[in-house]
Amino acid sequence: MTPNGHGDPMLVIDKERHVFNVARRTFVDPAILEAEREKIFGRCWLYLGHTSELAKPGDFVTRQVGGRHIIFARNPKGELRALLNTCAHRGAKVCRERAGNAKSFQCFYHGWIFGLDGNLRNLPDEEAYPADFKARSTSGLQPVPRFDTYRGFAFVCFDADAVSLSDYLAGAKEYIDIVADQSDLGMAIVGGTQEYSIRANWKLLAENSFDGYHAATNHATYLDYLKNTNGGLANVALKGVSHDLGNGHAVVEYSAPWGRPVAQWIPMWGDQGKVEIDAIYERLVERHGKERADRIATRNRNLVIFPNLVINDIMAITVRTFYPTAPDFMLINAWALAPAEESKWAREYRLFNFLEFLGPGGFATPDDVEALEQCQRGYANMAEVGWNDMSKGMGRETPSYDDEAQMRAFWAQWNQRIFEAAA
């Protein structure tokens, strides 16, 4: 039985005939979204933030993750906490600021005060309550059922019985390691958040985030701009492979002609840029050896961690999450990630690349928004044309970066979780 009560499958897979089709109903049916809220966003590990956002004790950010409001904070002991942002008294959202530094959080409604560990510290007319009231576990801000970090990336899970974060990330850890190893002092989120929305289903953006097939056509303007405006690119071919990393996570890894602040030089960066890039590369070789340094410096990665964390390590690094508010509407948040010790020169070019291509006002995102919204509009013809084709590269032993093996890994995991079927 499907989530909407019909008996029709949402995926059709025939490995012998190289058929992998996805029902377009999955992008429009409110019952599907309700099932996703329970079985995917209610049970998977979801990205909360980066530990670099909480540099000092008392630092906090508030986020909406999987439909819940959460306070992500560093307490006076330096420990990280993920607390559900709802007062134990009447349920009001306690912290209404988006970020800051605080010694405690006070609910505006009746004045209850909570510590950064979530414990109830003070409340007006305390003598009206039992003597042990403040010490009761139910009186404080409740912690998120599961919270953990990996190489600076913080995750939460609302399923207390879920597997560990390490087991959940599976093969994706290798690619997070490659990103984290780019710095001597640690990677850090650069200040500021990109926030925008798309009138399309959230799974279309998951697909798009590691879809190498669309670049040459949908982003032709950007590629022409690089070739003709910026004084020349690196003499590097656009080619690579895709990998299924387990649990629905997947990556495309490839070479590309654009400049990477860590550490692929292009002519437009001039002599000063070559000195800067050479120095970054030499430090990578010292720390990791030449083979791994070359992989870090010259290979691009578009990584999707199921269901909705994207780490694109390309001409800059973007960390992106997105959540549906309706079958045909999603909200997106994105941040730039960079080595903490990066020079002013490298940071300038990184942020230029970040805004020029990856930002909502850059070359890529408007192209992608248009493509995804046109797909969503096309699903009005779903009754007559009901399937999306995801079969590209099914016959290849080693899928190319512009095949669709990575999307098939995503959809197989989606199907397994929604229908609780074997993978």
Side-chain angles (χ1 to χ4, degrees):
M1 182 66 70
T2 62
N4 60 358
H6 299 288
D8 300 333
M10 294 294 120
L11 299 186
V12 172
I13 305 172
D14 184 335
K15 293 182 179 178
E16 289 189 3
R17 296 178 57 241
H18 299 161
V19 172
F20 195 109
N21 289 340
V22 177
R24 293 183 176 177
R25 187 188 303 153
T26 63
F27 301 104
V28 301
D29 191 334
I32 293 284
L33 178 57
E34 286 307 306
E36 291 171 342
R37 284 176 171 146
E38 176 192 349
K39 298 180 178 182
I40 292 179
F41 296 111
R43 298 181 189 176
C44 291
W45 284 91
L46 303 172
Y47 179 69
L48 172 63
H50 195 270
T51 57
S52 64
E53 296 177 85
L54 310 176
K56 305 184 298 294
D59 283 354
F60 71 88
V61 297
T62 56
R63 296 270 154 79
Q64 191 167 358
V65 177
R68 283 78 161 176
H69 295 283
I70 296 175
I71 303 171
F72 181 31
R74 188 180 292 278
N75 72 16
K77 296 179 181 178
E79 300 164 334
L80 297 170
R81 291 288 183 268
L83 304 168
L84 294 166
N85 191 2
T86 176
C87 184
H89 184 217
R90 288 288 198 279
K93 189 176 170 184
V94 172
C95 182
R96 294 175 289 170
E97 289 75 30
R98 300 184 61 170
N101 186 278
K103 295 180 179 178
S104 60
F105 302 110
Q106 181 173 15
C107 180
F108 74 100
Y109 194 6
H110 293 91
W112 288 27
I113 298 174
F114 304 90
L116 290 162
D117 54 7
N119 292 332
L120 178 61
R121 285 185 178 175
N122 292 293
L123 67 166
D125 202 12
E126 181 177 336
E127 51 276 11
Y129 291 88
D132 68 339
F133 185 77
K134 285 199 302 186
R136 293 177 184 177
S137 61
T138 53
S139 297
L141 296 177
Q142 299 303 299
V144 173
R146 302 289 295 277
F147 168 71
D148 205 350
T149 65
Y150 184 78
R151 302 296 306 267
F153 293 85
F155 294 80
V156 294
C157 181
F158 304 109
D159 179 3
D161 298 323
V163 300
S164 70
L165 175 63
S166 179
D167 287 345
Y168 180 81
L169 291 175
K173 288 185 290 187
E174 175 186 353
Y175 292 88
I176 294 176
D177 289 343
I178 290 172
V179 170
D181 285 346
Q182 293 181 16
S183 170
D184 295 332
L185 302 178
M187 301 296 286
I189 294 291
V190 181
T193 306
Q194 294 177 345
E195 299 179 345
Y196 54 102
S197 59
I198 304 177
R199 296 186 181 280
N201 186 270
W202 69 276
K203 299 185 290 296
L204 286 170
L205 184 54
E207 292 177 358
N208 171 267
S209 296
F210 53 9
D211 178 358
Y213 193 24
H214 77 295
T217 50
N218 199 40
H219 301 313
T221 301
Y222 177 66
L223 296 174
D224 287 343
Y225 160 75
L226 289 181
K227 290 174 185 173
N228 300 319
T229 306
N230 283 345
L233 300 172
N235 185 24
V236 175
L238 190 61
K239 63 179 182 179
V241 297
S242 68
H243 298 289
D244 179 344
L245 304 175
N247 293 339
H249 321 314
V251 67
V252 291
E253 188 170 33
Y254 54 98
S255 60
W258 47 69
R260 287 171 51 81
V262 56
Q264 178 170 290
W265 178 81
I266 53 175
M268 73 166 289
W269 288 347
D271 293 339
Q272 181 192 350
K274 192 159 193 328
V275 171
E276 293 267 0
I277 293 296
D278 286 349
I280 294 170
Y281 177 73
E282 288 171 8
R283 289 199 299 273
L284 289 175
V285 172
E286 288 174 4
R287 294 203 309 275
H288 305 294
K290 186 176 185 310
E291 183 177 353
R292 186 169 178 78
D294 285 345
R295 189 179 178 195
I296 292 172
T298 65
R299 305 291 282 181
N300 297 259
R301 283 154 286 273
N302 293 54
L303 170 66
V304 173
I305 296 176
F306 189 90
N308 67 335
L309 171 60
V310 175
I311 302 173
N312 282 347
D313 174 17
I314 45 181
M315 67 287 289
I317 302 174
T318 184
V319 178
R320 178 192 299 157
T321 61
F322 42 91
Y323 286 97
T325 61
D328 59 352
F329 198 87
M330 68 179 126
L331 301 174
I332 300 99
N333 285 280
W335 301 268
L337 188 72
E341 74 278 16
E342 195 165 58
S343 71
K344 181 180 178 182
W345 178 92
R347 180 63 57 85
E348 179 180 328
Y349 276 103
R350 176 183 298 279
L351 293 181
F352 180 81
N353 288 347
F354 183 72
L355 295 173
E356 179 191 55
F357 186 72
L358 293 163
F363 276 93
T365 301
D367 293 340
D368 290 331
V369 169
E370 175 68 8
L372 271 52
E373 292 188 345
Q374 289 299 334
C375 288
Q376 195 72 38
R377 289 169 187 155
Y379 300 152
N381 299 330
M382 183 182 67
E384 291 77 24
V385 187
W387 299 91
N388 280 357
D389 186 283
M390 288 283 166
S391 64
K392 188 170 186 292
M394 278 186 83
R396 289 179 173 163
E397 186 173 339
T398 303
S400 170
Y401 81 100
D402 56 358
D403 286 333
E404 293 169 339
Q406 64 279 12
M407 300 171 198
R408 292 192 288 274
F410 174 92
W411 276 107
Q413 179 69 195
W414 179 91
N415 198 54
Q416 180 183 353
R417 286 188 172 271
I418 292 297
F419 298 107
E420 300 177 351

